[in-house]
Amino acid sequence: MAKNVTLYIGNTAPNYAKFRFTDSREWEGVRSQIITAMNEGRGTIEINRKGNKVVYVYSPFLPVSWVETGA
């Protein structure tokens, strides 16, 4: 599992949301939501950020990508 993950949700820069994960358990929880939503073609992705919960509604038109480093 990667030690450092940067997640991008949305259009290209600067119109995307950027999240960083250093906790592998936290990242695996978000990653599994993303994979499930992608496989089903729809769903929600919930991310805890600074005590708040950010929720994205996934569709095939919502670009989602990530970069894993430090395996």
Side-chain angles (χ1 to χ4, degrees), residues 6-7 13 19-20 27 31 34 36 39 41-42 48-49 56 58-59 61 67-68:
T6 304
L7 171 66
F19 301 92
R20 291 189 188 229
W27 165 241
R31 184 184 170 280
I34 293 168
T36 299
N39 287 337
R42 60 186 164 82
N48 290 322
R49 182 178 208 174
Y56 291 92
Y58 177 80
S59 77
F61 303 104
V67 177
E68 297 182 6

PDB file of all heavy atoms in Angstrom, residues 6-7 13 19-20 27 31 34 36 39 41-42 48-49 56 58-59 61 67-68:
ATOM      1  N   THR A   6      -2.389  11.195  -3.420  1.00  0.00           N
ATOM      2  CA  THR A   6      -3.052  12.447  -3.763  1.00  0.00           C
ATOM      3  C   THR A   6      -4.222  12.105  -4.670  1.00  0.00           C
ATOM      4  O   THR A   6      -4.047  11.468  -5.703  1.00  0.00           O
ATOM      5  CB  THR A   6      -2.089  13.411  -4.480  1.00  0.00           C
ATOM      6  OG1 THR A   6      -0.946  13.615  -3.644  1.00  0.00           O
ATOM      7  CG2 THR A   6      -2.756  14.739  -4.749  1.00  0.00           C
ATOM      8  N   LEU A   7      -5.415  12.506  -4.255  1.00  0.00           N
ATOM      9  CA  LEU A   7      -6.651  12.221  -4.981  1.00  0.00           C
ATOM     10  C   LEU A   7      -7.152  13.501  -5.625  1.00  0.00           C
ATOM     11  O   LEU A   7      -7.189  14.557  -4.993  1.00  0.00           O
ATOM     12  CB  LEU A   7      -7.709  11.687  -4.004  1.00  0.00           C
ATOM     13  CG  LEU A   7      -9.134  11.530  -4.509  1.00  0.00           C
ATOM     14  CD1 LEU A   7      -9.210  10.441  -5.582  1.00  0.00           C
ATOM     15  CD2 LEU A   7     -10.065  11.205  -3.347  1.00  0.00           C
ATOM     16  N   ALA A  13      -7.083  21.134 -13.691  1.00  0.00           N
ATOM     17  CA  ALA A  13      -6.651  22.256 -12.850  1.00  0.00           C
ATOM     18  C   ALA A  13      -7.106  23.579 -13.430  1.00  0.00           C
ATOM     19  O   ALA A  13      -7.141  23.730 -14.637  1.00  0.00           O
ATOM     20  CB  ALA A  13      -5.132  22.230 -12.735  1.00  0.00           C
ATOM     21  N   PHE A  19      -7.164  16.046  -2.536  1.00  0.00           N
ATOM     22  CA  PHE A  19      -7.098  15.492  -1.192  1.00  0.00           C
ATOM     23  C   PHE A  19      -5.810  14.696  -1.052  1.00  0.00           C
ATOM     24  O   PHE A  19      -5.381  14.037  -2.002  1.00  0.00           O
ATOM     25  CB  PHE A  19      -8.287  14.551  -0.936  1.00  0.00           C
ATOM     26  CG  PHE A  19      -9.619  15.212  -1.075  1.00  0.00           C
ATOM     27  CD1 PHE A  19     -10.289  15.202  -2.293  1.00  0.00           C
ATOM     28  CD2 PHE A  19     -10.221  15.842   0.004  1.00  0.00           C
ATOM     29  CE1 PHE A  19     -11.529  15.801  -2.431  1.00  0.00           C
ATOM     30  CE2 PHE A  19     -11.461  16.449  -0.125  1.00  0.00           C
ATOM     31  CZ  PHE A  19     -12.115  16.425  -1.341  1.00  0.00           C
ATOM     32  N   ARG A  20      -5.218  14.747   0.145  1.00  0.00           N
ATOM     33  CA  ARG A  20      -4.008  13.956   0.412  1.00  0.00           C
ATOM     34  C   ARG A  20      -4.287  12.983   1.544  1.00  0.00           C
ATOM     35  O   ARG A  20      -4.918  13.343   2.537  1.00  0.00           O
ATOM     36  CB  ARG A  20      -2.848  14.857   0.785  1.00  0.00           C
ATOM     37  CG  ARG A  20      -2.419  15.667  -0.404  1.00  0.00           C
ATOM     38  CD  ARG A  20      -1.159  16.406  -0.132  1.00  0.00           C
ATOM     39  NE  ARG A  20      -0.940  17.287  -1.271  1.00  0.00           N
ATOM     40  CZ  ARG A  20       0.195  17.372  -1.905  1.00  0.00           C
ATOM     41  NH1 ARG A  20       1.212  16.651  -1.535  1.00  0.00           N
ATOM     42  NH2 ARG A  20       0.319  18.181  -2.919  1.00  0.00           N
ATOM     43  N   TRP A  27      -7.280   5.896   3.398  1.00  0.00           N
ATOM     44  CA  TRP A  27      -7.260   5.873   1.944  1.00  0.00           C
ATOM     45  C   TRP A  27      -8.000   4.647   1.409  1.00  0.00           C
ATOM     46  O   TRP A  27      -8.762   4.745   0.460  1.00  0.00           O
ATOM     47  CB  TRP A  27      -5.832   5.908   1.399  1.00  0.00           C
ATOM     48  CG  TRP A  27      -5.770   5.539  -0.045  1.00  0.00           C
ATOM     49  CD1 TRP A  27      -5.112   4.496  -0.599  1.00  0.00           C
ATOM     50  CD2 TRP A  27      -6.433   6.198  -1.140  1.00  0.00           C
ATOM     51  NE1 TRP A  27      -5.303   4.461  -1.952  1.00  0.00           N
ATOM     52  CE2 TRP A  27      -6.122   5.500  -2.309  1.00  0.00           C
ATOM     53  CE3 TRP A  27      -7.269   7.308  -1.232  1.00  0.00           C
ATOM     54  CZ2 TRP A  27      -6.603   5.859  -3.561  1.00  0.00           C
ATOM     55  CZ3 TRP A  27      -7.761   7.675  -2.488  1.00  0.00           C
ATOM     56  CH2 TRP A  27      -7.422   6.963  -3.621  1.00  0.00           C
ATOM     57  N   ARG A  31     -10.854   4.723  -1.277  1.00  0.00           N
ATOM     58  CA  ARG A  31     -10.588   4.005  -2.524  1.00  0.00           C
ATOM     59  C   ARG A  31     -11.669   2.969  -2.810  1.00  0.00           C
ATOM     60  O   ARG A  31     -12.144   2.845  -3.937  1.00  0.00           O
ATOM     61  CB  ARG A  31      -9.221   3.326  -2.455  1.00  0.00           C
ATOM     62  CG  ARG A  31      -8.821   2.635  -3.715  1.00  0.00           C
ATOM     63  CD  ARG A  31      -7.481   1.907  -3.512  1.00  0.00           C
ATOM     64  NE  ARG A  31      -7.179   1.046  -4.622  1.00  0.00           N
ATOM     65  CZ  ARG A  31      -7.698  -0.162  -4.813  1.00  0.00           C
ATOM     66  NH1 ARG A  31      -8.545  -0.657  -3.948  1.00  0.00           N
ATOM     67  NH2 ARG A  31      -7.379  -0.875  -5.860  1.00  0.00           N
ATOM     68  N   ILE A  34     -14.707   4.639  -4.177  1.00  0.00           N
ATOM     69  CA  ILE A  34     -14.503   5.062  -5.562  1.00  0.00           C
ATOM     70  C   ILE A  34     -14.643   3.872  -6.508  1.00  0.00           C
ATOM     71  O   ILE A  34     -15.359   3.944  -7.512  1.00  0.00           O
ATOM     72  CB  ILE A  34     -13.114   5.719  -5.738  1.00  0.00           C
ATOM     73  CG1 ILE A  34     -13.051   7.034  -4.964  1.00  0.00           C
ATOM     74  CG2 ILE A  34     -12.806   5.953  -7.217  1.00  0.00           C
ATOM     75  CD1 ILE A  34     -11.657   7.608  -4.843  1.00  0.00           C
ATOM     76  N   THR A  36     -16.174   0.999  -6.020  1.00  0.00           N
ATOM     77  CA  THR A  36     -17.567   0.531  -6.037  1.00  0.00           C
ATOM     78  C   THR A  36     -18.427   1.431  -6.911  1.00  0.00           C
ATOM     79  O   THR A  36     -19.213   0.954  -7.736  1.00  0.00           O
ATOM     80  CB  THR A  36     -18.133   0.480  -4.605  1.00  0.00           C
ATOM     81  OG1 THR A  36     -17.357  -0.438  -3.839  1.00  0.00           O
ATOM     82  CG2 THR A  36     -19.584   0.049  -4.598  1.00  0.00           C
ATOM     83  N   ASN A  39     -17.563   0.871 -10.599  1.00  0.00           N
ATOM     84  CA  ASN A  39     -18.086  -0.401 -11.100  1.00  0.00           C
ATOM     85  C   ASN A  39     -19.595  -0.365 -11.317  1.00  0.00           C
ATOM     86  O   ASN A  39     -20.108  -0.979 -12.256  1.00  0.00           O
ATOM     87  CB  ASN A  39     -17.723  -1.546 -10.154  1.00  0.00           C
ATOM     88  CG  ASN A  39     -16.261  -1.912 -10.229  1.00  0.00           C
ATOM     89  OD1 ASN A  39     -15.589  -1.653 -11.214  1.00  0.00           O
ATOM     90  ND2 ASN A  39     -15.747  -2.504  -9.159  1.00  0.00           N
ATOM     91  N   GLY A  41     -21.277   2.473 -11.873  1.00  0.00           N
ATOM     92  CA  GLY A  41     -21.612   3.584 -12.752  1.00  0.00           C
ATOM     93  C   GLY A  41     -22.260   4.751 -12.040  1.00  0.00           C
ATOM     94  O   GLY A  41     -22.596   5.765 -12.645  1.00  0.00           O
ATOM     95  N   ARG A  42     -22.448   4.631 -10.722  1.00  0.00           N
ATOM     96  CA  ARG A  42     -23.026   5.704  -9.915  1.00  0.00           C
ATOM     97  C   ARG A  42     -22.777   5.387  -8.450  1.00  0.00           C
ATOM     98  O   ARG A  42     -22.452   4.267  -8.094  1.00  0.00           O
ATOM     99  CB  ARG A  42     -24.519   5.849 -10.158  1.00  0.00           C
ATOM    100  CG  ARG A  42     -25.292   4.592  -9.829  1.00  0.00           C
ATOM    101  CD  ARG A  42     -26.751   4.723 -10.217  1.00  0.00           C
ATOM    102  NE  ARG A  42     -27.399   3.433 -10.254  1.00  0.00           N
ATOM    103  CZ  ARG A  42     -27.880   2.803  -9.195  1.00  0.00           C
ATOM    104  NH1 ARG A  42     -27.766   3.331  -8.014  1.00  0.00           N
ATOM    105  NH2 ARG A  42     -28.472   1.638  -9.318  1.00  0.00           N
ATOM    106  N   ASN A  48     -13.698  12.521   4.720  1.00  0.00           N
ATOM    107  CA  ASN A  48     -13.597  13.377   5.904  1.00  0.00           C
ATOM    108  C   ASN A  48     -12.468  14.370   5.691  1.00  0.00           C
ATOM    109  O   ASN A  48     -11.356  13.994   5.339  1.00  0.00           O
ATOM    110  CB  ASN A  48     -13.330  12.535   7.151  1.00  0.00           C
ATOM    111  CG  ASN A  48     -14.532  11.718   7.533  1.00  0.00           C
ATOM    112  OD1 ASN A  48     -15.659  12.176   7.419  1.00  0.00           O
ATOM    113  ND2 ASN A  48     -14.297  10.501   7.969  1.00  0.00           N
ATOM    114  N   ARG A  49     -12.791  15.646   5.908  1.00  0.00           N
ATOM    115  CA  ARG A  49     -11.803  16.700   5.698  1.00  0.00           C
ATOM    116  C   ARG A  49     -11.945  17.750   6.790  1.00  0.00           C
ATOM    117  O   ARG A  49     -12.964  18.443   6.853  1.00  0.00           O
ATOM    118  CB  ARG A  49     -11.999  17.341   4.335  1.00  0.00           C
ATOM    119  CG  ARG A  49     -10.982  18.403   4.033  1.00  0.00           C
ATOM    120  CD  ARG A  49     -11.190  18.960   2.656  1.00  0.00           C
ATOM    121  NE  ARG A  49      -9.922  19.437   2.146  1.00  0.00           N
ATOM    122  CZ  ARG A  49      -9.744  19.878   0.933  1.00  0.00           C
ATOM    123  NH1 ARG A  49     -10.743  19.874   0.089  1.00  0.00           N
ATOM    124  NH2 ARG A  49      -8.573  20.305   0.562  1.00  0.00           N
ATOM    125  N   TYR A  56     -19.250  13.508  -2.692  1.00  0.00           N
ATOM    126  CA  TYR A  56     -19.347  13.656  -4.142  1.00  0.00           C
ATOM    127  C   TYR A  56     -20.285  12.587  -4.658  1.00  0.00           C
ATOM    128  O   TYR A  56     -20.259  11.458  -4.186  1.00  0.00           O
ATOM    129  CB  TYR A  56     -17.974  13.490  -4.812  1.00  0.00           C
ATOM    130  CG  TYR A  56     -17.041  14.619  -4.504  1.00  0.00           C
ATOM    131  CD1 TYR A  56     -16.172  14.545  -3.433  1.00  0.00           C
ATOM    132  CD2 TYR A  56     -17.060  15.781  -5.272  1.00  0.00           C
ATOM    133  CE1 TYR A  56     -15.323  15.599  -3.137  1.00  0.00           C
ATOM    134  CE2 TYR A  56     -16.216  16.835  -4.975  1.00  0.00           C
ATOM    135  CZ  TYR A  56     -15.351  16.736  -3.905  1.00  0.00           C
ATOM    136  OH  TYR A  56     -14.524  17.777  -3.605  1.00  0.00           O
ATOM    137  N   TYR A  58     -20.882  10.321  -7.606  1.00  0.00           N
ATOM    138  CA  TYR A  58     -20.113   9.847  -8.748  1.00  0.00           C
ATOM    139  C   TYR A  58     -21.033   9.549  -9.923  1.00  0.00           C
ATOM    140  O   TYR A  58     -22.108   9.000  -9.774  1.00  0.00           O
ATOM    141  CB  TYR A  58     -19.329   8.579  -8.404  1.00  0.00           C
ATOM    142  CG  TYR A  58     -18.588   8.060  -9.610  1.00  0.00           C
ATOM    143  CD1 TYR A  58     -17.390   8.633 -10.002  1.00  0.00           C
ATOM    144  CD2 TYR A  58     -19.118   7.056 -10.402  1.00  0.00           C
ATOM    145  CE1 TYR A  58     -16.728   8.213 -11.138  1.00  0.00           C
ATOM    146  CE2 TYR A  58     -18.468   6.627 -11.538  1.00  0.00           C
ATOM    147  CZ  TYR A  58     -17.269   7.202 -11.902  1.00  0.00           C
ATOM    148  OH  TYR A  58     -16.629   6.789 -13.035  1.00  0.00           O
ATOM    149  N   SER A  59     -20.564   9.913 -11.103  1.00  0.00           N
ATOM    150  CA  SER A  59     -21.178   9.528 -12.373  1.00  0.00           C
ATOM    151  C   SER A  59     -20.030   9.356 -13.358  1.00  0.00           C
ATOM    152  O   SER A  59     -18.910   9.769 -13.077  1.00  0.00           O
ATOM    153  CB  SER A  59     -22.156  10.595 -12.862  1.00  0.00           C
ATOM    154  OG  SER A  59     -21.447  11.685 -13.412  1.00  0.00           O
ATOM    155  N   PHE A  61     -19.283  11.042 -15.676  1.00  0.00           N
ATOM    156  CA  PHE A  61     -18.819  12.352 -16.127  1.00  0.00           C
ATOM    157  C   PHE A  61     -17.977  13.076 -15.077  1.00  0.00           C
ATOM    158  O   PHE A  61     -17.527  14.195 -15.317  1.00  0.00           O
ATOM    159  CB  PHE A  61     -20.015  13.223 -16.525  1.00  0.00           C
ATOM    160  CG  PHE A  61     -20.857  12.573 -17.580  1.00  0.00           C
ATOM    161  CD1 PHE A  61     -22.066  11.988 -17.255  1.00  0.00           C
ATOM    162  CD2 PHE A  61     -20.416  12.509 -18.893  1.00  0.00           C
ATOM    163  CE1 PHE A  61     -22.831  11.365 -18.226  1.00  0.00           C
ATOM    164  CE2 PHE A  61     -21.171  11.891 -19.869  1.00  0.00           C
ATOM    165  CZ  PHE A  61     -22.383  11.314 -19.532  1.00  0.00           C
ATOM    166  N   VAL A  67      -2.723   9.581  -7.405  1.00  0.00           N
ATOM    167  CA  VAL A  67      -1.306   9.272  -7.567  1.00  0.00           C
ATOM    168  C   VAL A  67      -0.839   8.665  -6.245  1.00  0.00           C
ATOM    169  O   VAL A  67      -1.018   9.273  -5.186  1.00  0.00           O
ATOM    170  CB  VAL A  67      -0.489  10.539  -7.882  1.00  0.00           C
ATOM    171  CG1 VAL A  67       0.996  10.204  -7.967  1.00  0.00           C
ATOM    172  CG2 VAL A  67      -0.973  11.181  -9.157  1.00  0.00           C
ATOM    173  N   GLU A  68      -0.269   7.461  -6.323  1.00  0.00           N
ATOM    174  CA  GLU A  68       0.261   6.794  -5.133  1.00  0.00           C
ATOM    175  C   GLU A  68       1.783   6.835  -5.182  1.00  0.00           C
ATOM    176  O   GLU A  68       2.377   6.537  -6.214  1.00  0.00           O
ATOM    177  CB  GLU A  68      -0.202   5.342  -5.088  1.00  0.00           C
ATOM    178  CG  GLU A  68      -1.694   5.175  -4.980  1.00  0.00           C
ATOM    179  CD  GLU A  68      -2.138   3.727  -4.897  1.00  0.00           C
ATOM    180  OE1 GLU A  68      -1.258   2.831  -4.815  1.00  0.00           O
ATOM    181  OE2 GLU A  68      -3.345   3.484  -4.893  1.00  0.00           O
TER     182      GLU A  68
END
